[in-house]
């Protein structure tokens, strides 16, 4: 496994209900017992832990007291078109043999059988998913593009440690209402946050309007908000150091650090990818901690 330079892109944030007592040694030992393994012929998917810094690294990576972990997902890719084609052949053959139309339950059973037969010949796809624990602030920060991916990583961590007393962090107000107020009255925004050039608006009937590369102060946008549409996604900038999209669940999407931040890690003059990884993680997690306090009001 090659070392990947560490900049989180999509963030779902959780809070520990109680102090995190595991130290890096005991945590690494627990992760080693659940290290990733190759998929068996009949398994569809598996999750396990990998060293964040690659094969030669430790099972955890620590910078400024924050502990990074890396989960590896392996899954079999079974083409839906191939499954459908073989399933139709099996259904037709059975109906001809038995002289009747088979039931939906029987079709579902046949489909499961077809997939099981195809698994040993299916291609395997793997992906890495990072997270880090901030014991001081009791945060668990997951880089995940969807809640389902984050929950899979949490499930693996819970299985590894025996328990995982975390809950999703909530904003002080419901995100839709909060972002709608920000779009209408920018003067009420938290310190350091500014509105970007992208938003998504929805009405109670399910209608969706997306604006991209637009002046969100424009009369057309404000009129839409005045008619009752709520903001369900809003691009934001923080302190001229990063940009992201905040969605209606309070998750951060398409996070991007600006050059002023990237240049700071470049000044470290890292002599290896491992040193660059460490510098990136230390700086990015520190920057994110500042943002979390502004967005969620969370800090110990």
């Amino acid at each position: 496994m090659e070392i990947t330079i560490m900049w989180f892109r999509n963030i779902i944030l959780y809070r520990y209900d109680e102090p995190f007592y595991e130290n890096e040694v005991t945590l690494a030992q627990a992760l080693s017992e659940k290290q990733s393994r190759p998929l068996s012929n009949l398994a569809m998917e598996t999750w396990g832990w990998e060293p964040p810094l690659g094969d030669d690294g430790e099972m955890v990576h620590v910078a400024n007291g924050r502990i990074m972990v890396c989960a590896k997902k392996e899954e079999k890719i079974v083409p839906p078109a191939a499954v459908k084609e073989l399933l139709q052949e099996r259904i037709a053959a059975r109906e001809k043999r038995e002289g009747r139309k088979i039931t939906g339950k029987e079709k579902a059973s046949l489909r499961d059988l077809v997939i099981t037969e195809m698994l040993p010949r299916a291609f395997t796809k793997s992906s890495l998913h990072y997270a880090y624990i901030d014991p001081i602030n009791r945060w668990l920060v997951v880089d995940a593009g969807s809640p389902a991916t984050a929950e899979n990583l949490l499930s693996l961590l819970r299985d590894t440690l025996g328990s995982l007393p975390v809950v999703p962090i909530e904003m002080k107000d419901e995100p839709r209402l909060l972002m709608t107020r920000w779009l209408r009255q920018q003067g009420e925004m938290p310190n350091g946050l500014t509105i970007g050039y992208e938003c998504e608006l929805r009405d109670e009937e399910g209608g969706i309007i997306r604006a991209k590369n637009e002046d969100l102060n424009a009369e057309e946008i404000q009129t839409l908000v005045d008619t009752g549409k709520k903001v369900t996604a809003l691009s934001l900038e923080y302190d001229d150091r990063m940009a992201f999209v905040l969605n209606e669940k309070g998750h951060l999407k398409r996070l991007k650090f600006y050059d002023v931040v990237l240049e700071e890690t470049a000044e470290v003059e890292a002599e290896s990818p491992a040193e660059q990884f460490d510098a990136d993680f230390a700086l990015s997690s520190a920057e994110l901690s500042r943002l979390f306090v502004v967005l969620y009001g969370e800090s110990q």
Side-chain angles (χ1 to χ4, degrees):
M1 185 178 92
E2 295 183 357
I3 297 175
T4 302
I5 302 304
M6 182 39 51
W7 297 97
F8 280 28
R9 302 299 182 189
N10 302 284
I11 290 178
I12 300 179
L13 184 62
Y14 299 85
R15 185 192 70 248
Y16 278 88
D17 279 340
E18 57 189 54
F20 183 78
Y21 293 112
E22 296 280 349
N23 61 47
E24 60 186 276
V25 176
T26 58
L27 178 58
Q29 181 177 358
L31 297 181
S32 297
E33 296 174 0
K34 296 288 185 179
Q35 193 162 0
S36 64
R37 298 288 186 270
L39 270 171
S40 67
N41 282 341
L42 298 181
M44 198 65 185
E45 177 182 301
T46 185
W47 285 73
W49 299 109
E50 286 282 316
L53 279 171
D55 296 335
D56 296 330
E58 302 293 333
M59 291 303 293
V60 300
H61 181 76
V62 181
N64 291 345
R66 301 179 181 97
I67 308 169
M68 178 175 287
V69 297
C70 175
K72 182 178 182 179
K73 173 186 177 183
E74 287 201 13
E75 58 184 324
K76 293 284 183 64
I77 306 300
V78 180
V83 173
K84 182 178 180 181
E85 181 179 355
L86 184 55
L87 177 61
Q88 288 174 340
E89 292 177 3
R90 295 287 177 86
I91 291 173
R94 182 167 174 180
E95 288 181 340
K96 182 178 180 179
R97 184 173 65 251
E98 299 182 4
R100 67 181 180 87
K101 293 289 185 181
I102 66 175
T103 65
K105 185 176 181 180
E106 289 172 319
K107 290 179 181 179
S109 180
L110 275 176
R111 184 179 185 277
D112 291 341
L113 181 60
V114 166
I115 292 175
T116 299
E117 291 177 358
M118 297 179 72
L119 281 177
R121 304 186 301 275
F123 291 107
T124 299
K125 176 185 176 182
S126 63
S127 54
L128 300 176
H129 304 274
Y130 294 84
Y132 71 84
I133 300 160
D134 184 334
I136 296 177
N137 292 299
R138 299 187 187 180
W139 291 330
L140 174 59
V141 185
V142 182
D143 185 0
S146 70
T149 297
E151 286 301 320
N152 279 326
L153 189 146
L154 263 61
S155 178
L156 176 61
L157 189 56
R158 184 177 295 109
D159 184 46
T160 301
L161 299 179
S163 66
L164 188 65
V166 300
V167 295
I169 280 185
E170 296 183 354
M171 304 185 74
K172 291 183 177 180
D173 293 305
E174 202 274 326
R176 284 192 181 200
L177 299 179
L178 192 59
M179 291 187 292
T180 301
R181 288 205 303 268
W182 288 348
L183 189 56
R184 297 182 70 178
Q185 301 176 2
Q186 293 191 23
E188 294 184 359
M189 296 189 67
N191 186 40
L193 281 184
T194 56
I195 290 176
Y197 300 92
E198 180 179 346
C199 73
E200 177 184 273
L201 302 165
R202 293 181 184 241
D203 57 32
E204 294 181 356
E205 288 72 38
I208 304 174
I209 294 177
R210 294 184 176 92
K212 192 171 184 178
N213 298 323
E214 297 284 349
D215 178 5
L216 301 186
N217 281 321
E219 183 178 351
E220 303 93 301
I221 301 295
Q222 296 297 319
T223 299
L224 291 171
V225 178
D226 290 339
T227 60
K229 287 183 171 56
K230 297 294 188 294
V231 180
T232 53
L234 183 64
S235 64
L236 296 165
E237 297 180 2
Y238 177 61
D239 206 20
D240 294 325
R241 295 178 70 81
M242 67 184 82
F244 58 93
V245 173
L246 182 68
N247 71 13
E248 61 185 319
K249 296 183 181 297
H251 303 161
L252 277 58
K253 311 289 287 186
R254 304 199 327 255
L255 177 68
K256 179 182 179 181
F257 289 90
Y258 287 153
D259 287 346
V260 64
V261 178
L262 303 180
E263 289 168 359
E264 291 181 17
T265 57
E267 293 174 358
V268 173
E269 297 182 355
E271 296 181 359
S272 68
E275 289 186 7
Q276 189 63 59
F277 182 104
D278 188 75
D280 291 347
F281 175 38
L283 180 59
S284 62
S285 59
E287 292 289 331
L288 288 173
S289 292
R290 296 174 55 234
L291 174 64
F292 295 158
V293 172
V294 170
L295 273 181
Y296 306 104
E298 294 277 345
S299 181
Q300 296 297 318

